[in-house]
Structure formats: C-alpha cells, structure tokens
Amino acid sequence: QKEVEQDPGPLSVPEGAIVSLNCTYSNSAFQYFMWYRQYSRKGPELLMYTYSSGNKEDGRFTAQVDKSSKYISLFIRDSQPSDSATYLCAMTKTSYDKVIFGPGTSLSVIP
Amino acid sequence: EAQVTQNPRYLITVTGKKLTVTCSQNMNHEYMSWYRQDPGLGLRQIYYSMNVEVTDKGDVPEGYKVSRKEKRNFPLILESPSPNQTSLYFCASTPGQGRGENEKLFFGSGTQLSVL
C-alpha cells in the first residue's frame, strides 16, 4: 500500500463548479498537510498548508484534514479555467522531516 | 525575483554518457533537494542537502550523485545514465531544516530528461 494515495483523474468540470480533491494516507504520524498546484511544464507551487486536523480557508480554496479517517481534501469554489492544473497532496510528520507526495490529480476547468 | 533555476529544461542523451543538471537558488536557503516525477508515482526524492558539504540519500538515489560546494548550487550528476532514468526532474529548496519550514518547498521549472 502506498503511503499517500490520490485519485489521478483526470477530472473535468465546468467553470463555476465546486471541485473536491482528496487524498488518503496510511501513516498516522503525519501532522503537516499541504496542497501543491502544478501547471503544465512547471514546478509545483505551495497552495495551502495546514497543521493537524481542521479546516483552513484562503479565498476560493479550503483545505480540510480529518486525521481520524486519515483523509484530506481540497475544495475549490467557483472554479476558473486558470485552476486547470495537477494538484498534489503532500504531508510530513514534523516540520523537519521529509515531505511525502501523492501522485497528483489532473483537473481541467472547462469555460 | 526569488527563484530556483534549473538547466537545461530539456535533455536527450544516450546510455552511458555522463551528464549534469544544474540547480541554483537565490533565496539563501539551507535545504535543497532533487526529485524525479514519474506518472502514477508522484514526486520521489533522490538526494537532499541540509547545508554546504552535507548531503544524504533520499528514496531513489541509485545511479545519481550530487554535490553541495556552495550554498546556492546543488547539481545532479548522472555518471552513466540508463533508460530507466528517463523522467522529469525537479530541484527544490526550503528556508532550512533548522527553522522547521521543510514543508514550504520552492521548486524549479523542471528538466525533462530522455535517455535513449
């Protein structure tokens, strides 16, 4: 079993839709949870990061962590064509440990 | 502009021909690392460096070498490339292991390597 699993998609939604991207993980020691966005032919960029369980909101993006279920989500409201990218979940045990990445979900937002 | 710069962006080579991919960051970051990205496997760490002259193996170090002689540069060396090293490579840096910001990785734009 992989340490971090993510539905690879591709996911295609109409502009304005609410998008839900999800990851599951197996190691209960993970405490820091991140979402990176990767545009085609570019390196990943940090989009959201949360510590432990709970929600974090930043504009149209909400990151949610449920440690009891070992499940994290990224919600995108009012999705835009510019949100079309691959979204990588990532996590680490402490701020000093190696970051483990999921394989990524490809999202297309159709105008 | 704060950035991580990798070169070249694209590289096609043949089996056994030594190559180097350069990586440079201008943010004075202590921690630098190399990843390879393959479909379905995500980003896997090859090597990392916590500071000058300090390097260590990641998850998939076989067939790769690195060096960290200066804080800003962290080249990736393939002494004898093989076709299974065909991949998309990323260099990344973070402010520093000691400052506990390991999760905030800054990535370069990537190097697409094809080994024939």
Side-chain angles (χ1 to χ4, degrees):
Chain A
Q1 183 190 7
K2 291 181 184 173
E3 251 186 314
V4 180
E5 307 230 32
Q6 202 175 349
D7 186 336
L11 185 61
S12 185
V13 302
E15 184 175 353
I18 297 174
V19 177
S20 172
L21 304 168
N22 310 298
C23 277
T24 58
Y25 62 95
S26 57
N27 190 340
S28 58
F30 287 136
Q31 298 262 46
Y32 291 82
F33 303 92
M34 292 75 73
W35 286 94
Y36 282 81
R37 178 174 61 194
Q38 185 177 17
Y39 291 116
S40 181
R41 297 189 182 87
K42 295 284 189 184
E45 55 178 340
L46 183 64
L47 185 62
M48 298 279 283
Y49 110 97
T50 53
Y51 171 70
S52 195
S53 285
N55 292 1
K56 184 173 184 177
E57 190 173 317
D58 184 0
R60 296 183 294 110
F61 298 90
T62 299
Q64 199 170 75
V65 175
D66 181 351
K67 288 187 71 182
S68 62
S69 302
K70 298 195 190 75
Y71 189 87
I72 69 170
S73 300
L74 177 70
F75 297 97
I76 307 174
R77 289 183 300 281
D78 187 25
S79 56
Q80 302 294 309
S82 58
D83 295 328
S84 298
T86 296
Y87 290 80
L88 305 165
C89 64
M91 46 201 77
T92 184
K93 287 180 271 189
T94 74
S95 220
Y96 300 84
D97 273 304
K98 181 177 66 179
V99 175
I100 308 296
F101 287 87
T105 298
S106 174
L107 171 67
S108 290
V109 180
I110 311 301
Chain B
E1 182 191 350
Q3 60 186 359
V4 178
T5 304
Q6 285 179 239
N7 279 297
R9 288 295 306 275
Y10 303 93
L11 181 57
I12 301 174
T13 189
V14 295
T15 300
K17 187 173 181 183
K18 181 179 177 180
L19 66 90
T20 299
V21 183
T22 64
C23 173
S24 180
Q25 51 91 7
N26 61 1
M27 296 170 279
N28 202 36
H29 284 173
E30 293 178 353
Y31 185 94
M32 298 184 73
S33 57
W34 277 102
Y35 293 85
R36 59 178 289 174
Q37 187 175 37
D38 301 290
L41 296 177
L43 284 159
R44 293 179 292 167
Q45 192 180 58
I46 302 170
Y47 267 95
Y48 65 95
S49 169
M50 291 196 285
N51 216 324
V52 175
E53 302 292 1
V54 181
T55 63
D56 210 345
K57 296 176 181 178
D59 297 316
V60 288
E62 293 77 22
Y64 304 94
K65 283 176 59 176
V66 293
S67 69
R68 188 91 181 273
K69 293 184 171 56
E70 305 164 282
K71 197 172 186 178
R72 62 182 292 129
N73 295 324
F74 190 44
L76 179 69
I77 303 154
L78 285 72
E79 294 268 0
S80 182
S82 62
N84 65 11
Q85 292 178 299
T86 291
S87 187
L88 180 57
Y89 290 86
F90 288 101
C91 180
S93 69
T94 74
Q97 188 100 354
R99 278 190 267 176
E101 294 178 300
N102 227 20
E103 69 277 13
K104 297 176 184 174
L105 289 155
F106 291 81
F107 284 88
S109 293
T111 296
Q112 179 64 59
L113 171 66
S114 295
V115 183
L116 305 176

